[in-house]
Amino acid sequence: MPPRPKYTTLDPSLYEYLLAHRTPDDDVVRELREETARLGGHADMQISPDQATFLRILVNAIGARRAIEVGTFTGLSALAIARGLPPGGHLLCLDVSEEWTKVACRYWAKAGVAERIELRVGPAAETLRALPESPPYDFAFIDADKKGYPVYWEEILRRLRPGGLVAVDNVLWDGDVVRPMKRGEDVEAIRRFNDMARADARVESVMLPVADGLTLARKLP
Ligand SMILES: C[S@@+](CC[C@H](N)C(=O)[O-])C[C@H]1O[C@@H](n2cnc3c(N)ncnc32)[C@H](O)[C@@H]1O
């Protein structure tokens, strides 16, 4: 028998309460969110504020020193990850957009973490395939084009240390993953990816209802 569902649906006031009960954002994050909001519709691509806090705590909690991100946009998730790294830590960011990542670079400098971040602009699949397999990464965040997820997953897992974590964003796709009438390249790509990740014996994984759904996978020793 399936377990009795145990979750709390977030309406706007409960979400506001949740946001207010975490470590507050500093001025750099607030300014970055405001500048990104001025981009209009694209701004929705930015991770949520609570997700940024979560990523920073997670990266710090596992003692990550080397991290990689696929899908940087204006840089909020990268800022959170970089802030979770120790001094001397390294984050490699991959994105195709010069325009959006220029914004990111300004905020990384403002936050004093620019020296921890290396940005490579170009299709992430090509950049990943060209990376050496060592030294391995401790942490990875995947948040780019959805049809690319299987390649990003595969190339990252090959370069992740045993015990390292991969976090994958948008795995619930606004709930459409369980609505068969919802068709389209993105939702179908996410469904395929979720099934693939679930069947991957190299990891243990859990899908968290954080923002639009976040899969956390730990590479088994
Ligand atoms: C959802 S946004 C990332 C949001 C970001 N993580 C943040 O916190 O603001 C997706 C990003 O993936 C990038 N992207 C799309 N296709 C890509 C590809 N083939 N290779 C690398 N980046 C890609 C886009 O330029 C965009 O900046």
Side-chain angles (χ1 to χ4, degrees):
M1 202 168 71
R4 191 173 68 81
K6 189 167 181 181
Y7 59 86
T8 302
T9 304
L10 294 180
D11 63 18
S13 62
L14 191 55
Y15 185 56
E16 204 176 305
Y17 178 88
L18 177 156
L19 288 184
H21 288 81
R22 76 197 155 102
T23 306
D25 293 331
D26 68 357
D27 287 345
V28 182
V29 168
R30 271 194 292 274
E31 282 170 36
L32 170 54
R33 296 196 67 83
E34 282 162 18
E35 177 163 350
T36 304
R38 291 196 289 276
L39 294 174
H42 291 306
D44 281 347
M45 293 202 295
Q46 188 174 56
I47 60 163
S48 67
D50 48 313
Q51 203 174 359
T53 313
F54 179 62
L55 286 179
R56 187 182 71 234
I57 293 173
L58 188 63
V59 166
N60 192 264
I62 67 163
R65 298 191 62 83
R66 283 173 50 79
I68 183 163
E69 168 180 274
V70 184
T72 294
F73 188 42
T74 57
L76 179 58
S77 51
L79 176 56
I81 294 166
R83 281 178 156 172
L85 296 172
H90 182 258
L91 167 63
L92 178 62
C93 287
L94 313 182
D95 201 288
V96 275
S97 170
E98 291 274 4
E99 184 192 342
W100 290 331
T101 54
K102 266 189 193 151
V103 177
C105 292
R106 271 198 282 116
Y107 284 90
W108 298 339
K110 271 191 195 189
V113 294
E115 82 290 348
R116 291 181 202 171
I117 304 179
E118 180 189 349
L119 170 67
R120 297 207 196 161
V121 176
E126 285 173 29
T127 312
L128 282 168
R129 285 188 185 114
L131 289 177
E133 292 193 10
S134 70
Y137 290 91
D138 306 298
F139 181 83
F141 181 50
I142 301 178
D143 185 23
D145 56 309
K146 307 312 160 192
K147 64 180 186 320
Y149 274 25
V151 173
Y152 306 152
W153 171 266
E154 190 55 43
E155 296 300 325
I156 282 170
L157 268 187
R158 293 170 60 165
R159 294 165 175 83
L160 198 72
R161 72 163 163 83
L165 289 184
V166 189
V168 186
D169 201 20
N170 303 113
V171 294
L172 296 179
W173 205 248
D174 205 21
D176 287 353
V177 283
V178 292
R179 298 183 186 121
M181 75 295 287
K182 293 284 183 179
R183 296 267 163 91
E185 200 179 34
D186 287 331
V187 69
E188 285 169 21
I190 287 283
R191 286 186 191 120
R192 278 195 305 277
F193 169 76
N194 287 341
D195 292 344
M196 190 204 83
R198 169 64 191 85
D200 195 322
R202 295 170 296 178
V203 298
E204 59 174 1
S205 69
V206 62
M207 207 179 254
L208 302 173
V210 174
D212 192 25
L214 187 72
T215 286
L216 262 192
R218 175 178 165 271
K219 185 171 172 179
L220 295 170

